[in-house]
Amino acid sequence: MDAQTAADVDGAWKYALEHYMPACLQLFFPQVAAGVDWDQPLIFCDKELEQINPEANTGKLRVDKLIRVA
């Protein structure tokens, strides 16, 4: 897989996490999902994560997702 394809796949996963986090967590980590209070808002902490390594946010490559749950 070349860098362009990897970046596009990365973006698709991040979109899925942003829009379908409960379903993604239930699918991949059902025991973790069971412990989350889904009545509380999800807090996306991408900016905080980006501050750790600003060079990681270049071009189509972006920092990973950091999501705070209750």
Side-chain angles (χ1 to χ4, degrees):
M1 181 180 319
D2 63 17
Q4 179 66 35
T5 303
D8 292 342
V9 171
D10 187 55
W13 273 108
K14 289 175 181 171
Y15 179 88
L17 290 175
E18 289 173 9
H19 293 88
Y20 306 105
M21 182 58 181
C24 288
L25 203 56
Q26 181 63 42
L27 178 64
F28 295 112
F29 302 101
Q31 291 178 324
V32 173
V36 174
D37 181 358
W38 295 109
D39 292 328
Q40 299 297 316
L42 301 176
I43 301 170
F44 289 85
C45 303
D46 299 351
K47 296 296 179 194
E48 292 85 344
L49 187 59
E50 183 180 329
Q51 290 173 359
I52 295 170
N53 186 7
E55 294 85 31
N57 203 27
T58 58
K60 285 197 168 227
L61 298 177
R62 296 174 292 277
V63 298
D64 288 325
K65 288 290 175 197
L66 179 61
I67 305 167
R68 187 180 339 166
V69 299

